[in-house]
Structure formats: structure tokens, C-alpha cells
Amino acid sequence: MRKYMLYLPLGLAVMLMTESCKPKTDAPAETKAVDSAAHVATVSESSFGTLPDGTAVALYTLKNTQGVEMTVTNYGGLITSLKTADKSGTIEDIVLGYDSLSGYLAKSPFFGALVGRYGNRIGNGKFVLDGKTYTLAVNNGPNHLHGGLKGFDKVVWAATPSTSAEGASLKLTYLSKDMEEGYPGNLQVEVVYTLSNDNALTVDYTATTDKKTVLNLTQHTYFNLSGNTKRDILGHTITLAASKFVPVDKGLIPTGKLQEVKGTPFDFTTPHTIGERINADDPQIKTGGGYDHCWVLDKTDKSLTSAATAYDSISGRTLEVLTTEPGVQFYTGNFLDGTITGKFNTVYAKRYGFCLETEHFPDSPNQPQFPTVVLNPGETYKTQTVFKFGVK
């Protein structure tokens, strides 16, 4: 029997008790009992099924005092649902995904995933570190994408839930062993999701290594602020605090240059709807099949600053993204092709979700002019991203 002590505000405490048993199905089981008082944040645990090797997978439900609710599984750190209110107070799910584990195992374009060791692409699946060439798994044509064949989105993390006066949290830890997916160093990773009572999701990333390595962690949730995926995201209004972006070649690998957004369809320094220029006669738009590029944020330090905002005028829902990272990959679901049926029996067609992946730039290990992604022994990798939810 496992026990979790969750420390709650006002001196309250709640004990979660779960039976150790192997689930027989990948359908979500009944949620275990927790304090449901409206004035405290809560975390509960339920079964999310089993992997083909028999490993049990858990689902954690985090609720804040304002009615915002998020479910996260320890398989890949996947955010499987995130429910917020629209302007009329109706609470609905604003992220893409599946109802059961089987969907994520069968086919998932990184829905809600923790991505690592390297988020985004590395050209030709290779990089050089101190004169040694490292060869990575190639899973995106000739290139390496989002950690390889079995990245952090496809492993089971150790999970520790907790609550505080600020909200509900889930700490996920994982040891990525030396040369896993081709990366050097035993990498100890910790990611903490905190759903605060002021309707913000904070993601804190921490990592250490025993060998020199490269690292670029991110979160790959697909958002659709319409609620329960009522329509595509082309009517969403986006702003990006970036006057430059990273142009790419035909394989979506950076050319090594940075390009000014002014006078291009990539200028979101003032608000524009996603669909306004997504089919523009622009070589970079054509290469990406829409937006699938990294924007260079207008910042000169590692402080937590606003990077992007999104707004759906019909639901009234808003999203603001703040980060300590130098870039954000804005992706508009260009590779969704109608072959996936997700939650609410929705067919995920092209541009039914958008991602704002805070990160260092793609292919940085091969682009010495980009901000470094090298992590040395004795150093601590530490970044933070905040997703703030609201209405107007």
C-alpha cells in the first residue's frame, strides 16, 4: 500500500491511499477519494492502464480552488486534459488528446508531452561535443526529433503529488542513462507541474548530468481555446514578443540565420489571427506548411518574461505564456491530417490545435552562433515556463 501525505492550507491534511495492483484495462478507473472542499486545492490518483510490458500507468487529477482542473499521466508526463472556464463560466477542456492510454500508445503527435532530451529537431541526427561525434536516433526523415524513438514522452516517470496554500503540484523524476537515444551522460531530470489557485500552470524543469551533454526540455501541449474542440484554431488571435524568427530549410532544420519578422507573415508583435496569413505566398510558410518555426524572444537575460498570448473571441478564453527560455516554437498543427479521432469523438483535422513550445533554438548543437544547450557536470539546468489562463 502506498500513501501520499498532501499538506493543505489552513492546517488541513489529506491522506491518499492506493492499492498496488495491476490494472486490467487502459480505461481510466474510478478516482480515489480526496478532500473535495472548494477552499483547498487537491490531487487525486487513478489508474490509466498498463503498458505492453505490464507496467502500470497512473493518472493524476490536479484541481485548484477556482475550478480549473488538469489531468497528467506519469507516462511521458502527458497533460491529457486541462479544463478552464469560458466567458460564461462554462468549464471545458482546452487541450487535444485521447480518453485512454491506448490512443497515446497507438499514435500520438506528442499530445501534451514532456519532450527530451532535446525538444525540436537536430539535423541529420548528429552533433559534435569536444571533438566527438554523437549519433542519435533518426525519427523525422533524415533528422532527429523530440528525443528520438523513445524520448521522455514515452517513458514512465516517478510521480510525487502534493498541495500547498498556492495550489496543487505533481513532481515527476526520471533518470536518463548514459547513451540513452545516443546522448552522453547519466541525466537526472525533475519536472514539477503546479496548478496554482490564480489559474496558472507553472512548469519547472531541473536536471544534472555526470558527463558533458546537450539538453533542451519543453512541453508539447496542443491548445484549442474553443473548449471541447468545437472548431479549428484559425480564428484564435496570437501575439509573440519576438522581432525575429529562425528560418528553416526544406527539412525544417535552421539555416543558421535569424530573420526579421517585420513585413512578413511571421510578425505577431501586434495581434493577428492564426488564419489571417497562414496560407500566404511566403517561402517559409510553404516550407513549414503553415507556422512551425521558432521565434526569437525579445529578451537579453534568463528572467521570466511574457513570450506569447492567445485569445479565442468566441469563448473569451485567454492564454499567456511566460518563460525563462530564449525562444518559443509556434506550431499550428500542420501535420494533423484527419486520421486521429481524439476526445469528444473529434476528428483532429489540420490546424485543430496550436503549440507554444518554450525552448532553445532547434539544431543548436550544430549551430555555435545560437545560445548554448551544453550542460556540464556540476551545473544545474533550470528553466521555468508559466501558462496563465483567463477570460475577457
Side-chain angles (χ1 to χ4, degrees):
M1 178 176 292
R2 298 195 307 275
K3 300 179 179 180
Y4 301 124
M5 178 67 77
L6 308 184
Y7 296 97
L8 301 176
L10 305 177
L12 298 178
V14 62
M15 188 78 75
L16 300 181
M17 304 179 66
T18 63
E19 294 295 332
S20 296
C21 60
K22 185 181 295 184
K24 297 180 180 179
T25 175
D26 61 7
E30 289 297 318
T31 300
K32 299 172 180 63
V34 295
D35 191 330
S36 59
H39 63 281
V40 296
T42 62
V43 183
S44 60
E45 179 187 346
S46 58
S47 169
F48 201 50
T50 59
L51 299 180
D53 66 1
T55 302
V57 175
L59 188 70
Y60 297 86
T61 301
L62 286 65
K63 296 181 181 180
N64 74 2
T65 58
Q66 307 303 311
V68 175
E69 176 183 314
M70 180 176 78
T71 56
V72 182
T73 173
N74 61 340
Y75 174 74
L78 308 177
I79 295 175
T80 59
S81 73
L82 210 165
K83 299 175 182 178
T84 69
D86 67 5
K87 60 187 177 184
S88 67
T90 302
I91 293 179
E92 295 171 309
D93 196 352
I94 61 168
V95 302
L96 273 55
Y98 293 100
D99 292 313
S100 65
L101 178 62
S102 61
Y104 294 98
L105 297 179
K107 182 179 181 181
S108 180
F110 303 99
F111 287 145
L114 282 180
V115 173
R117 291 191 187 189
Y118 200 92
N120 221 314
R121 299 168 175 88
I122 294 180
N124 299 313
K126 293 182 180 181
F127 66 91
V128 178
L129 201 57
D130 288 344
K132 182 177 179 180
T133 298
Y134 291 90
T135 301
L136 311 174
V138 172
N139 63 330
N140 185 235
N143 302 315
H144 175 88
L145 176 67
H146 292 329
L149 301 177
K150 190 177 181 181
F152 288 176
D153 61 299
K154 297 179 180 67
V155 299
V156 176
W157 297 62
T160 305
S162 63
T163 64
S164 70
E166 286 70 41
S169 296
L170 184 70
K171 180 173 73 174
L172 299 170
T173 57
Y174 177 67
L175 174 62
S176 177
K177 294 183 178 180
D178 185 32
M179 299 311 296
E180 180 175 299
E181 292 296 308
Y183 292 96
N186 290 297
L187 185 78
Q188 185 64 57
V189 188
E190 176 184 293
V191 179
V192 180
Y193 290 124
T194 300
L195 182 62
S196 62
N197 292 326
D198 61 355
N199 295 340
L201 168 61
T202 299
V203 188
D204 288 295
Y205 306 87
T206 307
T208 56
T209 182
D210 62 359
K211 288 184 183 178
K212 193 172 185 177
T213 192
V214 297
L215 187 63
N216 186 31
L217 303 178
T218 191
Q219 223 295 328
H220 204 295
T221 289
Y222 287 67
F223 291 100
N224 185 318
L225 302 182
S226 68
N228 295 358
T229 323
K230 295 183 180 67
R231 52 192 172 272
D232 64 35
I233 46 85
L234 295 177
H236 285 51
T237 300
I238 299 288
T239 61
L240 297 169
S243 55
K244 295 180 181 178
F245 76 102
V246 181
V248 294
D249 62 21
K250 291 182 179 180
L252 300 182
I253 300 299
T255 62
K257 300 179 181 179
L258 303 181
Q259 183 176 331
E260 295 283 343
V261 301
K262 188 175 181 180
T264 78
F266 291 80
D267 189 352
F268 286 92
T269 55
T270 56
H272 291 273
T273 63
I274 294 174
E276 183 180 340
R277 301 165 298 174
I278 200 168
N279 295 314
D281 185 15
D282 178 274
Q284 283 293 307
I285 288 284
K286 291 180 178 179
T287 296
Y291 298 111
D292 191 4
H293 298 73
C294 184
W295 269 253
V296 180
L297 297 176
D298 293 331
K299 57 188 296 185
T300 58
D301 57 27
K302 297 181 180 179
S303 61
L304 183 70
T305 54
S306 183
T309 63
Y311 170 56
D312 174 43
S313 61
I314 298 175
S315 70
R317 290 186 178 91
T318 64
L319 168 65
E320 181 183 11
V321 181
L322 303 93
T323 189
T324 59
E325 290 287 82
V328 58
Q329 184 86 4
F330 175 42
Y331 171 57
T332 49
N334 310 321
F335 294 107
L336 297 176
D337 59 3
T339 61
I340 292 175
T341 300
K343 294 178 292 185
F344 315 108
N345 202 35
T346 301
V347 175
Y348 291 149
K350 192 173 185 178
R351 297 165 184 162
Y352 257 63
F354 69 91
C355 304
L356 291 166
E357 305 158 58
T358 56
E359 59 179 19
H360 273 57
F361 307 160
D363 200 39
S364 288
N366 297 314
Q367 307 279 355
Q369 71 277 25
F370 288 175
T372 183
V373 291
V374 172
L375 179 66
N376 294 293
E379 296 176 343
T380 299
Y381 174 97
K382 205 169 188 65
T383 73
Q384 184 181 75
T385 293
V386 179
F387 301 91
K388 297 179 69 173
F389 309 105
V391 291
K392 68 177 183 178

